[in-house]
Amino acid sequence: MKHVRTLSIFLVLSCLVVVSVHSEPTSDNSGKKTTQKKQTKKAKQKKQTKKDTASKTAPAPIIERHYPPPGSSGQVKNYDFLLKRTSYPDGEVTPEMYMEAHEQARKLPVYSRRSPQTQQAANTWESVGPFGIGGRVSALAMHPTDSNIFYVGAAAGGVWKTIDKGKSWKNLTDTFRLLPTGYLTIDPHHHETVYYGQGEPNNSADSYPGNGLYRTTDGGTSWSHLGLEKTRTISQIIVDPIDRNTIYVCAPGSTTASDANRGIYKSTDFGATWKNVLLVRGGTTPTSRPIPIIDLVMNPLNNQELVAASWDKAGYIYTGLWHSLDAGVSWKRIDTGKTTYPNALKDKRFARGSLLWVNAGATSVLYSLTTKTDTNIITHYATDENLYALFKTTNPAADSWTKCIDSTFRIPYKGNNVDSVKFFSNQGGYNNFLAGNPKRPNEIYVGGIDVIRSTDGGTTFTNITKGYPAYFSNDRTQHSDQHALAFSAASSGNDLFNGSDGGVFHTTNYGDTWEQLKGIPMTMIYHVEPWISGMKHLGNNFPPDSLKFIAGTQDNGSISKGLTNDTDWRWINRGDGGWAQVHPNDTEKIITSIQLGKVLVKNTLESLRPNLVTDEGSAANPARWYQISKILTHGDKRLTDTNESCAFIPPVVLDNERPNELYTPRTRLYRAKIDWANPDNTTWSVWSPQTCGTPNKPSNWYTGYINAVGVGVRDENMRPMLWIGGLYNGARTSLYRSLYDPTLHQDSMPRWIRADTGLTPPAYVSCIIPDRSDSLKAFCSLSSFGANRLFMTVNGTKWTSITGDLPSAPINSFLIDTIAEQGNPLAKNQCMIVGTDIGVFVTTNGGKNWATLGEGLPPVVVEHVTRYKNYLIAATHARGAFVIDISDLRAEPLNSVRSGSYIGKI
């Protein structure tokens, strides 16, 4: 289950501290076979055998317990996603890097063979869902007069429209350069006119920047760009109800850079030109730090009166309210000098707020929701964003605010020992909104982890989504983490929709029952795995609908397609789903993982329904999930604890040659020997020294961890050469490989050598692929923005770039298409496919030249690429999974790199 995303950008990355893990020379030829060993080494091997035998009896090293990482698992996720994309040494991901990579991609050719008869593209991506799991929604816009028509903005996946109240959907924006959604609104004067503000303002590390403001005047058939592209995020759009030529845009600006492209923008000529009418600066000089404006409301009885909420993410002094009585010409701060409203100048811990202004007939009522941030005593970073209070007033300028509720109010959560003292559960900077029923002025809604409803103007509330109780009772009719709420045009006034991290939900009885709307593929997937053992009956030619998968998703657990009788994907395990692995020969045996390194095993497909309360269960219940990582991190025999630094979604790698052996890393690598008959008997071993993070401080997760594991060539004892990569001490790319040593016992930790020469600038290693026959040859990718992202080594220690003209976006995953080689040794390792933050690219000449692979893939983040037979599979962090038939790619002669199979830009 996902929790807090923080707002801060983590800048402290320590200077390089060189720590030698082992003293073997880097020229070691240890990858060669035993037959190539010289006889003169036999004495040394005998000596090493004696030493190794002694080490077998030594107790496994125990890692000392340390303070836990600051904040919740969601904060780790936030930093994790960000740091993997950070440019060093400044520690920022600027929007310009993202845009520059997109521009580079637009200049590449597109690999897509077209039929000469039909001109149809043979290489076309096809969405395979999921269509009913859901994903993060950031905006809803309801048609004012037709309750069947409304628009949904996916956080990173564009805009969708329905004309039949959610029975079917059409994507309106897949031809756009970028797809992150900030806000949607319909022109009250002309209901076919819709404004689309790009750039998600929810301040998660995976909240991507947009390209400004767009407008359609024909219900989404065509769009025009209205500028404001440098704002990068848009959180509110208001069309003046009196004059449609007057438009206001609230722009918090980039979440990862501090510039002046933020504030309140106003147009009086229907979007032709814009003027910044409110730019709050965190200081007294013209160059002081600009402050984001997160919300804007207009008095429903006076279109000249506006109130804006600023959000000072760095110092909190300038978090507050700003008031205009002349349509934005002048502004005055109104949250200071009052006794009835919190003063940020005195208490510097106020964080994100939300606003709502309702028409109460003779007067109007302004509501202001505030959160309060405390500083973590260990890291001194702001972490806890919980409810401070909800206030209301009929006169914003006066000292006449009334407190409705504060952090002491309680709403029972069906006996699950969770209450609203943490209504935002430390993530008030992520899910935070106010909404009202347009037909009932006293009916207001507050969105956080759940949505709470008041029918008496904020005096009393009831929980209408009950996301946590639903979660704990295995009920997917609602989801926690709320971002938007809206009413349809139905005269009943109870036709309500809400958007959350789990998609769009609908109720007509104020939450007594909910229905999840299906049909929008917008799940954020981290990793997808073909169910190989379950597809052995398929031949070489079959439709993509026959593919079977397991995948891990952001905040929607582990999901599967084809493992049950369900036609769509099915939710099979909880939390933030991570890596999935499948037994290569036994269809009953599968592995999933949960955020922060929990590994779960199933040895029967009976009852894939997850147990959300616990990973345990009765030993007599063969259908349960076994959390085998608990043996690693808990109890007297533990080898580490849950505080050792690890990635938010660390790799989990099953050895397909020995499918009872599994590798997963933290700051060091661990190996599990799985007892598939009774996974509770799984044993763990420390399999590497600490190679990442801070030396001797394995709990400092923000300074690095192992992020990639590669299983390479095996010796005569079937022990593989292993490769591990990540970030060391926040300042150096870390990559190590194990040494060939036949004298070591099967259950002894390998010896390791540092092998990261040439991997610059510093970045996380995202993927390692060892050569299939040459033990010292391997390929690796880096995850941050930059010119050199893909590397090759031929001697096991020194790396050279094979990036070519690949765009400078982070590489999240890559593969070498061995089938394309067709047995030709000259073609070996020439056909490579990479999944990046801006799409999928292919080379057929070992990296010299690249092309966009196929047509029809939206411009979204691709977290993982893999293949099954002739299908390439892409896991997107916005739009679920896509597949493409690459048999044409394999048939193309590899020496005709720029041949007719490339059609140029789409």
Side-chain angles (χ1 to χ4, degrees):
M1 182 177 296
K2 185 195 74 52
H3 292 291
V4 176
R5 277 89 164 170
T6 185
L7 332 168
S8 310
I9 302 306
F10 193 61
L11 299 178
V12 280
L13 294 174
S14 307
C15 296
L16 175 63
V17 178
V18 178
V19 175
S20 176
V21 175
H22 280 287
S23 58
E24 286 84 6
T26 57
S27 59
D28 189 318
N29 291 320
S30 55
K32 305 300 180 184
K33 298 296 182 183
T34 306
T35 53
Q36 299 170 341
K37 297 276 183 180
K38 294 183 179 179
Q39 293 295 323
T40 53
K41 291 189 177 180
K42 284 186 176 179
K44 190 182 287 187
Q45 290 175 356
K46 285 181 182 176
K47 194 174 182 180
Q48 177 62 38
T49 303
K50 217 180 248 187
K51 186 193 291 186
D52 182 64
T53 304
S55 69
K56 280 192 299 179
T57 60
I62 300 294
I63 297 177
E64 177 188 355
R65 285 187 176 272
H66 297 270
Y67 284 112
S72 68
S73 65
Q75 276 192 282
V76 182
K77 176 258 175 189
N78 190 60
Y79 285 135
D80 180 284
F81 202 96
L82 177 67
L83 289 175
K84 287 177 182 174
R85 289 154 172 82
T86 298
S87 61
Y88 294 89
D90 59 354
E92 280 195 350
V93 177
T94 66
E96 285 66 34
M97 294 177 180
Y98 186 56
M99 302 303 175
E100 180 182 354
H102 270 284
E103 283 302 312
Q104 293 168 353
R106 285 163 64 86
K107 296 175 183 177
L108 289 179
V110 177
Y111 188 101
S112 184
R113 182 192 297 273
R114 289 185 182 273
S115 164
Q117 288 79 26
T118 65
Q119 287 301 301
Q120 291 290 321
N123 300 102
T124 301
W125 290 93
E126 180 175 340
S127 171
V128 291
F131 301 99
I133 295 294
R136 192 158 78 232
V137 172
S138 56
L140 296 171
M142 317 304 290
H143 195 285
T145 59
D146 189 338
S147 60
N148 289 309
I149 299 176
F150 59 94
Y151 302 82
V152 173
V159 178
W160 298 78
K161 179 182 180 180
T162 180
I163 60 173
D164 53 15
K165 209 168 186 176
K167 293 184 178 65
S168 62
W169 297 91
K170 180 182 180 181
N171 186 280
L172 305 179
T173 54
D174 272 359
T175 59
F176 283 32
R177 292 176 57 195
L178 303 172
L179 296 183
T181 301
Y183 197 80
L184 293 169
T185 197
I186 298 175
D187 187 336
H189 306 272
H190 183 263
H191 301 159
E192 290 295 290
T193 297
V194 183
Y195 289 87
Y196 169 35
Q198 287 201 331
E200 186 191 1
N202 289 320
N203 291 276
S204 172
D206 58 351
S207 295
Y208 274 82
N211 193 40
L213 183 66
Y214 290 83
R215 178 177 61 211
T216 177
T217 58
D218 52 18
T221 301
S222 60
W223 295 84
S224 56
H225 186 231
L226 303 182
L228 300 179
E229 60 271 12
K230 290 186 178 181
T231 61
R232 302 312 184 200
T233 60
I234 290 175
S235 59
Q236 180 64 265
I237 305 166
I238 297 176
V239 179
D240 192 306
I242 307 299
D243 176 14
R244 71 178 304 215
N245 290 308
T246 299
I247 310 161
Y248 299 89
V249 170
C250 176
S254 168
T255 60
T256 58
S258 181
D259 56 39
N261 298 299
R262 63 189 74 225
I264 302 299
Y265 290 84
K266 180 181 180 181
S267 173
T268 57
D269 53 12
F270 201 49
T273 60
W274 296 91
K275 180 180 180 181
N276 189 317
V277 295
L278 177 62
L279 179 62
V280 176
R281 291 188 179 273
T284 58
T285 68
T287 58
S288 296
R289 171 174 47 87
I291 304 301
I293 306 294
I294 190 61
D295 207 357
L296 174 71
V297 289
M298 176 184 286
N299 188 337
L301 301 181
N302 177 8
N303 70 332
Q304 300 295 296
E305 187 174 12
L306 304 165
V307 172
S310 61
W311 182 15
D312 184 359
K313 304 175 191 176
Y316 309 108
I317 297 175
Y318 287 89
T319 294
L321 300 183
W322 304 81
H323 186 217
S324 175
L325 289 169
D326 51 14
V329 175
S330 61
W331 297 80
K332 182 180 179 181
R333 184 169 182 174
I334 58 169
D335 63 295
T336 59
K338 291 180 171 56
T339 60
T340 59
Y341 195 86
N343 187 336
L345 291 176
K346 293 181 179 179
D347 189 339
K348 304 173 184 179
R349 293 179 293 163
F350 293 104
R352 179 175 181 172
S354 294
L355 301 170
L356 171 68
W357 217 332
V358 301
N359 182 350
T363 185
S364 60
V365 181
L366 174 67
Y367 292 87
S368 177
L369 179 70
T370 62
T371 60
K372 198 169 185 178
T373 298
D374 294 320
T375 301
N376 186 280
I377 60 173
I378 302 171
T379 64
H380 306 293
Y381 284 93
T383 58
D384 300 321
E385 294 169 343
N386 285 314
L387 174 66
Y388 178 69
L390 174 68
F391 297 87
K392 68 179 180 179
T393 184
T394 57
N395 186 354
D399 194 358
S400 60
W401 292 84
T402 299
K403 183 189 291 185
C404 301
I405 56 173
D406 59 23
S407 62
T408 63
F409 98 114
R410 298 286 189 273
I411 295 178
Y413 278 63
K414 289 190 175 180
N416 283 299
N417 199 29
V418 182
D419 58 39
S420 57
V421 68
K422 286 194 173 184
F423 172 72
F424 288 111
S425 194
N426 297 336
Q427 58 187 50
Y430 173 69
N431 36 222
N432 183 324
F433 70 82
L434 287 171
N437 188 334
K439 294 180 171 60
R440 300 187 181 106
N442 284 322
E443 189 176 305
I444 66 168
Y445 297 79
V446 182
I449 294 297
D450 274 306
V451 175
I452 57 176
R453 172 183 179 241
S454 173
T455 58
D456 53 15
T459 302
T460 61
F461 284 88
T462 57
N463 185 347
I464 68 166
T465 53
K466 305 179 185 70
Y468 277 160
Y471 194 87
F472 287 126
S473 61
N474 289 4
D475 178 5
R476 294 289 287 178
T477 58
Q478 252 304 340
H479 194 285
S480 55
D481 300 342
Q482 315 298 328
H483 298 287
L485 181 143
F487 284 83
S488 80
S491 59
S492 61
N494 64 353
D495 199 19
L496 170 63
F497 297 81
N498 85 291
S500 67
D501 275 14
V504 182
F505 296 82
H506 177 221
T507 183
T508 56
N509 52 24
Y510 299 109
D512 287 344
T513 59
W514 289 94
E515 173 194 13
Q516 184 178 11
L517 301 187
K518 308 294 179 67
I520 306 179
M522 57 179 170
T523 307
M524 294 174 161
I525 298 180
Y526 285 115
H527 183 271
V528 64
E529 189 72 15
W531 188 32
I532 298 171
S533 54
M535 292 191 287
K536 290 190 174 180
H537 64 286
L538 298 175
N540 288 325
N541 298 308
F542 54 90
D545 281 349
S546 298
L547 287 166
K548 305 175 189 298
F549 313 96
I550 305 178
T553 73
Q554 168 59 39
D555 209 23
N556 284 280
S558 294
I559 59 177
S560 72
K561 183 178 187 295
L563 277 72
T564 67
N565 292 327
D566 301 79
T567 55
D568 193 16
W569 296 69
R570 179 181 177 179
W571 186 49
I572 63 169
N573 212 344
R574 64 189 181 92
D576 289 284
W579 280 50
Q581 295 283 269
V582 299
H583 195 289
N585 305 312
D586 191 330
T587 58
E588 296 289 304
K589 296 177 172 62
I590 59 175
I591 299 169
T592 61
S593 66
I594 297 175
Q595 72 269 23
L596 300 177
K598 287 186 178 180
V599 182
L600 298 104
V601 165
K602 236 179 184 302
N603 55 11
T604 172
L605 293 185
E606 181 187 348
S607 180
L608 280 169
R609 190 181 179 97
N611 185 332
L612 297 175
V613 179
T614 176
D615 299 318
E616 302 308 310
S618 169
N621 177 10
R624 69 184 176 119
W625 286 97
Y626 296 81
Q627 190 197 139
I628 61 171
S629 56
K630 192 169 185 178
I631 307 166
L632 173 67
T633 57
H634 293 76
D636 295 339
K637 295 182 180 179
R638 65 181 174 88
L639 300 181
T640 180
D641 58 42
T642 56
N643 296 326
E644 183 184 351
S645 168
C646 72
F648 185 73
I649 303 293
V652 176
V653 180
L654 188 69
D655 187 335
N656 282 330
E657 297 293 325
R658 286 183 158 182
N660 68 321
E661 295 184 5
L662 175 146
Y663 301 96
T664 192
R666 293 173 180 257
T667 61
R668 65 204 75 208
L669 183 67
Y670 295 92
R671 188 197 70 168
K673 293 191 77 172
I674 304 171
D675 182 343
W676 282 105
N678 182 6
D680 279 340
N681 292 333
T682 295
T683 58
W684 289 86
S685 302
V686 177
W687 219 241
S688 82
Q690 182 182 347
T691 62
C692 290
T694 303
N696 303 316
K697 293 182 180 179
S699 68
N700 286 359
W701 52 269
Y702 44 83
T703 60
Y705 38 75
I706 299 170
N707 190 58
V709 178
V711 179
V713 171
R714 299 170 186 275
D715 62 22
E716 67 273 17
N717 296 318
M718 290 298 289
R719 282 177 60 117
M721 178 182 284
L722 298 171
W723 304 71
I724 52 177
L727 193 70
Y728 177 84
N729 204 23
R732 168 171 68 79
T733 300
S734 171
L735 198 144
Y736 287 76
R737 64 173 174 85
S738 64
L739 297 175
Y740 176 84
D741 189 341
T743 66
L744 289 180
H745 187 272
Q746 286 288 332
D747 292 324
S748 296
M749 181 180 78
R751 295 188 300 126
W752 293 84
I753 187 173
R754 179 177 166 184
D756 52 25
T757 303
L759 294 178
T760 57
Y764 273 94
V765 178
S766 57
C767 193
I768 305 171
I769 298 181
D771 187 271
R772 302 177 300 282
S773 57
D774 187 338
S775 60
L776 295 182
K777 189 173 185 178
F779 304 82
C780 79
S781 60
L782 301 184
S783 66
S784 67
F785 287 88
N788 292 314
R789 303 296 88 193
L790 192 63
F791 294 83
M792 176 179 70
T793 180
V794 294
N795 66 1
T797 57
K798 185 177 181 180
W799 299 82
T800 56
S801 174
I802 55 170
T803 308
D805 56 0
L806 186 66
S808 57
I811 297 177
N812 303 311
S813 174
F814 79 98
L815 61 84
I816 298 172
D817 188 8
T818 56
I819 298 179
E821 298 168 5
Q822 302 175 36
N824 178 3
L826 297 178
K828 185 181 178 184
N829 300 327
Q830 295 300 294
C831 186
M832 301 182 185
I833 299 170
V834 299
T836 76
D837 269 19
I838 60 170
V840 178
F841 303 92
V842 61
T843 177
T844 57
N845 58 13
K848 295 183 180 67
N849 305 104
W850 293 86
T852 298
L853 178 55
E855 301 180 52
L857 183 69
V860 293
V861 175
V862 176
E863 283 275 21
H864 185 223
V865 289
T866 186
R867 66 167 177 81
Y868 181 75
K869 295 191 175 179
N870 283 333
Y871 285 108
L872 180 76
I873 306 153
T876 76
H877 200 71
R879 293 282 294 276
F882 282 78
V883 301
I884 188 172
D885 188 331
I886 56 173
S887 53
D888 278 354
L889 172 66
R890 292 163 172 171
E892 188 72 19
L894 290 172
N895 58 359
S896 55
V897 177
R898 300 283 177 171
S899 71
S901 62
Y902 294 94
I903 63 169
K905 291 192 293 184
I906 297 176

